Amino acid sequence: MQEQVLETQIDPLSFLDLKTSGKVHYNLPPAALVEHALARKEGFLTSTGALMADTGKFTGRSPKDRYIVLDEKTKDAVWWGDINIPFDSDKFDALLEKMKVFLQDRDLFIRDAYAGADPNHRLNLKIVNTWAWHNLFCNNMFLRPSNQELENFEHDFTIICAPGFEANPETDGTKNPNFAILNLSKRMILIGGTGYAGEMKKGIFSVLNFLLPHEKQVLSMHCSANVGKDQDTAIFFGLSGTGKTTLSADPNRSLIGDDEHGWTESGIFNFEGGCYAKVIDLTREKEPEIWDAIRFGAIVENTRFKPDSRDVDFENKSVTENTRTAYPIDFIPNALNPSISGIPQNIFFLTADAFGVIPPISKLNKSQAMYHFISGYTAKVAGTEMGITEPKLTFSACFGAAFLPLHPTEYATLFGEKMEKHETNVWLINTGWTGGAYGTGSRMKLSYTRAMITAALEGKLDKVEYKSHPIFGFQVPQTCPNVPSEVLNPRNTWANTEDYDRQATVLAKAFRDNFKRFEDFATADILEGSPLG
């Protein structure tokens, strides 16, 4: 197979003191990586030219097998616990040596890339893969240096991902054969025993979630973002099922990014160079931008073909419901390049409240914004996950607890400072139920939600009348263009207002109970945002 590779005098593995008897493929273009993946039987071409690949046993991240090395740099800074599990530094060194032995007789795919569109806060990456399609994934998801940038590229963080290498829990210090270990002092991530490509992406996100707030006072955020024609920047936070992707995808606004961003003194920037979108039940009608992006160079994970064809059956859940696609952000027509924008004027917290309590739109003050940022609330309903038969409360700190090395109050305090300094509006949007809880009420109409977000973005809610919610305390607008006024006050949509009051009290207690684990680190300013009763 003929290859065009960047000419270089640099040994891409010299930094590891690693010599391999296999072939080293360095900074291959997407077409060459696809050829290798097909030749190595790592996947298949779909009818649109995308590469279909399986992740193997693991079809999602394994959070209980993700570790951070405990050392002088991290011992007093990291929020240790079930999310950030400590790992011994000597065990890390020993495991790295074992991985290097594993890599010595294998073909390797090496890639230089970076995370962070803002040059002032960029993290240069050297990625070592044993699978060609994983290297293509990294090409798609991280930012791609130009040939000129590659000439003098110096990496400052390394990812080694070898799905075929398994740890020995008895001697290596892991719980299971699979692992993802972050070493923030040696600036390295080791991943083994799992073929789920998202571990690489989220590993770097976790690294940035430590480095940027802790060392540079840059707020790292698990959110989507877009910008209007008047350069008005908006941010959307929300857990799965709240409508984050749908509501941030606006044909009248440019996409900055769909998942990970940083907020500096001058504006926001995307950490990534691509999108990693769920594709279960995908149709062109529902998500035309994602549908059209699944073409040559893109990847679809854990999907299956329709019978006797190479057409992807997006309804097929036989492998997992977590089927995904990974593609460069410039596959989206209205993507901003470079993906950097100004200070956000409006921030939206999205929740799918299945209890019918949260108003469809509310304005939060600084204390409430910090409190609800830490809470990261939504509710899952029957059918979204196996075993859920009634609405289930879900709280995820800062809308991304699994990726936070620092205590959530550190992110929330920085969030509040930036919100106050730049006079940014923060809105709580309920895309869930109204007129009663799930099973009695009805789902908020998407057209109403879009109208409320548009009104907020266009400043049409600046001078309307507001009333304070009696329990949660946030300000509820009494009128909104293209939305019936009765919809704005959820208590009035219930058949029995006393039932609403009882449900609101129960939900408020759930917020306070959830927040008890954060109270010892929370400031009085944050605690002031708590529900009243």
Side-chain angles (χ1 to χ4, degrees), residues 223-225 244 255-261 270 272 274-277:
C223 65
S224 60
K244 177 169 63 109
L255 179 70
I256 302 168
D258 77 334
D259 200 41
E260 302 170 5
H261 297 83
N270 191 358
E272 301 184 302
C275 301
Y276 194 36

Side-chain angles (χ1 to χ4, degrees), residues 228-533:
K229 295 180 176 121
D230 296 329
Q231 303 306 305
D232 56 308
T233 304
I235 291 174
F236 299 80
F237 290 94
L239 302 178
S240 179
T242 59
K244 177 169 63 109
T245 301
T246 301
L247 292 168
S248 62
D250 186 332
N252 297 313
R253 300 174 64 83
S254 296
L255 179 70
I256 302 168
D258 77 334
D259 200 41
E260 302 170 5
H261 297 83
W263 186 351
T264 70
E265 284 303 298
S266 58
I268 70 166
F269 65 97
N270 191 358
F271 289 167
E272 301 184 302
C275 301
Y276 194 36
K278 289 184 177 180
V279 294
I280 195 70
D281 296 326
L282 178 71
T283 64
R284 186 189 289 275
E285 291 71 32
K286 287 195 295 187
E287 301 284 356
E289 293 85 5
I290 295 175
W291 181 277
D292 291 339
I294 302 175
R295 59 183 193 260
F296 186 80
I299 300 165
V300 283
E301 288 182 358
N302 300 317
T303 53
R304 290 294 178 263
F305 292 124
K306 293 179 180 178
D308 302 318
S309 79
R310 289 285 170 143
D311 297 335
V312 179
D313 181 1
F314 290 110
E315 296 179 2
N316 191 314
K317 306 174 185 178
S318 61
V319 180
T320 177
E321 290 203 8
N322 189 34
T323 52
R324 288 183 177 268
T325 180
Y327 51 83
I329 196 170
D330 55 21
F331 279 22
I332 298 293
N334 65 335
L336 192 66
N337 185 22
S339 47
I340 303 172
S341 190
I343 298 293
Q345 287 80 38
N346 292 281
I347 295 174
F348 299 93
F349 295 165
L350 306 176
T351 179
D353 177 28
F355 298 92
V357 169
I358 304 296
I361 184 167
S362 313
K363 194 171 186 180
L364 310 185
N365 62 29
K366 177 188 173 185
S367 294
Q368 292 162 351
M370 290 188 292
Y371 185 93
H372 283 269
F373 185 59
I374 291 176
S375 297
Y377 164 70
T378 193
K380 294 178 180 178
V381 298
T384 57
E385 288 185 9
M386 289 181 63
I388 295 180
T389 57
E390 58 185 33
K392 180 182 178 182
L393 292 159
T394 301
F395 295 97
S396 182
C398 308
F399 300 92
F403 320 115
L404 305 182
L406 308 177
H407 194 278
T409 54
E410 293 194 45
Y411 302 97
T413 299
L414 190 54
F415 179 89
E417 290 171 356
K418 290 183 177 296
M419 169 193 171
E420 185 174 51
K421 178 178 180 178
H422 300 292
E423 299 182 342
T424 301
N425 297 317
V426 178
W427 308 88
L428 180 62
I429 303 288
N430 178 18
T431 62
W433 275 256
T434 186
Y438 171 79
T440 302
S442 58
R443 190 82 189 252
M444 186 64 60
K445 290 183 179 180
L446 179 59
S447 60
Y448 291 166
T449 302
R450 288 193 185 279
M452 288 181 276
I453 289 175
T454 298
L457 290 172
E458 294 179 352
K460 293 179 179 177
L461 300 181
D462 290 352
K463 296 182 180 180
V464 302
E465 179 188 359
Y466 285 82
K467 287 186 179 178
S468 179
H469 191 278
I471 292 179
F472 283 89
F474 31 59
Q475 297 298 302
V476 181
Q478 299 303 290
T479 57
C480 177
N482 301 312
V483 180
S485 295
E486 59 270 19
V487 171
L488 299 171
N489 297 284
R491 187 174 187 269
N492 298 338
T493 66
W494 282 52
N496 187 323
T497 55
E498 292 181 358
D499 288 344
Y500 173 87
D501 294 339
R502 279 191 290 270
Q503 189 78 286
T505 301
V506 169
L507 183 58
K509 182 179 182 301
F511 268 86
R512 292 194 301 274
D513 289 346
N514 171 71
F515 211 85
K516 286 177 182 177
R517 56 197 169 125
F518 307 120
E519 285 178 347
D520 291 345
F521 295 88
T523 63
D525 201 10
I526 294 173
L527 293 172
E528 193 176 319
S530 173
L532 307 175

